[in-house]
C-alpha cells in the first residue's frame, strides 16, 4: 500500500519519516522547486557574493520530548544549530535554526524519501482505496490507498472540497494571517546591537539579523516581517513598494544606512490565527487525512507534531 502525501513541508516530511520508519511506502509531491515550504531559504547575489535569507520561519523552540529528540538528531547531523541570543531577562534562549539555512533540516529529511518537486496537485481523483493525483500540468499519479494533504488550511479546503467534504469543512474554518517579509543586505556593518527585536510602532512586527545565525554568509543581512494587519491591508501592493516601505521603517527605528539589496516576499498563508485544536484529521470512509501547523498552532514544532502523530496513527492501522 503506497501512501501519497501532498506537501513536503515540515508536517508532510514528518509524517513521511514516521511512516517510512515503520516500513510503509510513501511518495511525496510538492509544488515547490525544492525543500522549504514556510521554512524556506532564499538565495541572492549581492555585489557578486551569494547571500541567503531565512525569509519565512525565523527560529524554533522545542517543548515536547519527541520534538526535542528530533532536534537533537538534527544538531548531531549538523543541519540545525542554536541561535545564540538572549531572552529579555538575559538568559541564553533555546532558539534553534536550520544550518546553514532554515531549509537544511527539510532537505535532510527529504533526502532518503521519494519526493517529486515541482508537482502541483490540482485535484484528487478516484475514490476510497484507489486515489490518484492530478497535477496542474495535466499529468497524474496513482494508485494510492491513502492520501495525506499537508498544505495550509485554505489550500487543503480547495483540494478536499469534492473528495472529502468532512475534512474540507474543518479546513475552511481556519483563517491564516498573511505576512510581508523583506530581505536586506548591507555592504558595511550597521551599528545595530541586537540580533532581533520587535519594533513598537509602524508596519514592522519582527526584525532579525539573519547573518547572526550559524553558517550564514559574511555580509550583514536582515529579515523584516510586517505585522499581520499591515500585511493584510497591503496584500496586493507591489513587492517593490512594500520593500521600500519596510526598509524606510527599519531605518527610522534603527538609524541604519541604506541597504545595497532589498527584496520583499509575500506569505499569503503565513500563520494560522486560531488552530483546529486536534493534531490531524483522518476520514476513515475515504482514507484521506490532513496534517499541518493549522491543526495545532503556527509553529515549526506544531507542524512536526501534527505530521508525526498522523504518521504514527496510520502506521498502526
Ligand atoms: C513569515 C513566517 C514566519 C514564521 N516564523 C516562525 C517562527 O519564528 N517560529 C516557528 O516555529 N514558526 C514560524 N513560522 C511558522 C512555520 O514556518 C510553520 O508553522 C511551518 O513551517 C508549517 O509547516 P507545514 O508543513 O504545516 O506547512 P508548509 O511549510 O506551508 O508546507 C506545505 C507545503 O505544501 C506545498 N504545497 C501547497 N499546495 C500544494 C499543492 N497543491 N500541491 C503540491 N504541493 C503543495 C508547499 O509548496 C509547501 O512546501 C513562520 C511562518 C512564516 C510564513
Amino acid at each position: 500500500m503506497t501512501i501519497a502525501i501532498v506537501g513536503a513541508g515540515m508536517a508532510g516530511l514528518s509524517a513521511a519519516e514516521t511512516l517510512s520508519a515503520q516500513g510503509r511506502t510513501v511518495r511525496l509531491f510538492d509544488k515547490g522547486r525544492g525543500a522549504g515550504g514556510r521554512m524556506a531559504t532564499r538565495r541572492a547575489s549581492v555585489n557578486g557574493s551569494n547571500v541567503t535569507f531565512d525569509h519565512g520561519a525565523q527560529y524554533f523552540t522545542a517543548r515536547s520530548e519527541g520534538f526535542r529528540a528530533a532536534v537533537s538528531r538534527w544538531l548531531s547531523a549538523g543541519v540545525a544549530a542554536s541561535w545564540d541570543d538572549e531572552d529579555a531577562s538575559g538568559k541564553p534562549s533555546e532558539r534553534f535554526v536550520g544550518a546553514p539555512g532554515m531549509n537544511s533540516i527539510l532537505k535532510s529529511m527529504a533526502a532518503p524519501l521519494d519526493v517529486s518537486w515541482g508537482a502541483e496537485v490540482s485535484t484528487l481523483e478516484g475514490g476510497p482505496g484507489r486515489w490518484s493525483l492530478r497535477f496542474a500540468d495535466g499529468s497524474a499519479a496513482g494508485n494510492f490507498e491513502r492520501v495525506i494533504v499537508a498544505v495550509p488550511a485554505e489550500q487543503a479546503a480547495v483540494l478536499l472540497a469534492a473528495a472529502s467534504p468532512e475534512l474540507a469543512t474543518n479546513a475552511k474554518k481556519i483563517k491564516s494571517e498573511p505576512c510581508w517579509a523583506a530581505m536586506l543586505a548591507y555592504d558595511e556593518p550597521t551599528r545595530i546591537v541586537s540580533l532581533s527585536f520587535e519594533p513598537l510602532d509602524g508596519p514592522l512586527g519582527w526584525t532579525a539579523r539573519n547573518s547572526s545565525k550559524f553558517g550564514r554568509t559574511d555580509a550583514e543581512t536582515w529579515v523584516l516581517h510586517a505585522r499581520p494587519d499591515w500585511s493584510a491591508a497591503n496584500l496586493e501592493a507591489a513587492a517593490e513598494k512594500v520593500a521600500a516601505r519596510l526598509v524606510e521603517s527599519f531605518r527610522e527605528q534603527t538609524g541604519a544606512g541604506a541597504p545595497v539589496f532589498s527584496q520583499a516576499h509575500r506569505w499569503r498563508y503565513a500563520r494560522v490565527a486560531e488552530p483546529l485544536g486536534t493534531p490531524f484529521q483522518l476520514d476513515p470512509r475515504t482514507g484521506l487525512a490532513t496534517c499541518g501547523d493549522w491543526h495545532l498552532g503556527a509553529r515549526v514544532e506544531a507542524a512536526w507534531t501534527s505530521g508525526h502523530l498522523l504518521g504514527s496513527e496510520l502506521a498502526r492501522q
Side-chain angles (χ1 to χ4, degrees):
M1 168 180 104
T2 301
I3 300 176
I5 304 183
V6 183
M10 177 53 90
L13 286 167
S14 164
E17 257 192 353
T18 305
L19 284 160
S20 262
Q22 299 293 321
R24 301 306 172 99
T25 309
V26 180
R27 288 186 66 190
L28 296 108
F29 302 89
D30 195 292
K31 68 178 180 179
R33 276 180 297 168
R38 279 172 282 161
M39 294 173 70
T41 300
R42 171 78 57 91
R43 287 178 188 284
S45 174
V46 175
N47 290 343
S49 303
N50 289 328
V51 293
T52 60
F53 298 93
D54 298 336
H55 58 310
Q58 296 296 292
Y59 68 90
F60 54 90
T61 51
R63 301 175 191 173
S64 73
E65 205 178 308
F67 189 59
R68 291 187 82 84
V71 174
S72 293
R73 289 195 295 275
W74 300 332
L75 290 167
S76 304
V79 295
S82 296
W83 186 22
D84 297 323
D85 202 353
E86 293 178 345
D87 65 17
S89 62
K91 282 191 300 200
S93 73
E94 289 218 318
R95 302 184 188 194
F96 301 100
V97 294
M102 191 55 99
N103 67 353
S104 304
I105 294 167
L106 299 192
K107 277 188 185 171
S108 75
M109 291 170 83
L113 295 166
D114 180 351
V115 191
S116 301
W117 302 109
E120 179 174 356
V121 178
S122 44
T123 43
L124 308 185
E125 297 176 352
R130 48 180 185 83
W131 290 105
S132 62
L133 309 180
R134 176 74 56 191
F135 300 100
D137 66 2
S139 62
N143 238 345
F144 302 111
E145 191 164 344
R146 292 187 179 281
V147 180
I148 296 175
V149 174
V151 305
E154 287 83 351
Q155 293 166 327
V158 174
L159 271 181
L160 290 162
S164 175
E166 295 85 351
L167 301 190
T169 301
N170 278 336
K172 262 193 215 139
K173 290 181 198 157
I174 305 295
K175 196 173 155 13
S176 304
E177 294 173 331
C179 176
W180 269 111
M183 296 158 266
L184 277 49
Y186 293 85
D187 57 0
E188 285 183 3
T190 67
R191 296 212 185 96
I192 305 166
V193 178
S194 38
L195 300 188
S196 64
F197 64 94
E198 296 176 16
L200 295 176
D201 54 30
L204 294 173
W206 162 263
T207 64
R209 188 195 298 265
N210 180 73
S211 47
S212 67
K213 297 175 182 176
F214 180 83
R216 273 60 174 180
T217 44
D218 292 339
E220 183 168 335
T221 51
W222 282 78
V223 169
L224 321 178
H225 284 163
R227 294 177 194 284
D229 56 343
W230 191 93
S231 299
N234 294 276
L235 197 60
E236 304 305 333
E240 298 73 26
K241 282 198 173 157
V242 170
R245 178 70 189 96
L246 299 185
V247 167
E248 179 191 300
S249 178
F250 185 63
R251 295 184 66 182
E252 280 165 14
Q253 306 265 346
T254 62
V260 289
F261 171 91
S262 63
Q263 194 176 76
H265 175 87
R266 179 183 59 194
W267 295 101
R268 190 178 283 278
Y269 305 117
R271 293 188 195 87
V272 55
E274 203 167 315
L276 192 60
T278 53
F280 56 82
Q281 298 191 90
L282 179 54
D283 179 354
R285 187 180 62 78
T286 58
L288 301 175
T290 62
C291 64
D293 66 344
W294 54 275
H295 296 76
L296 291 174
R299 295 168 50 239
V300 170
E301 179 169 6
W304 181 89
T305 304
S306 171
H308 177 67
L309 292 179
L310 174 59
S312 306
E313 175 62 28
L314 291 180
R316 267 196 294 274
Q317 296 188 358

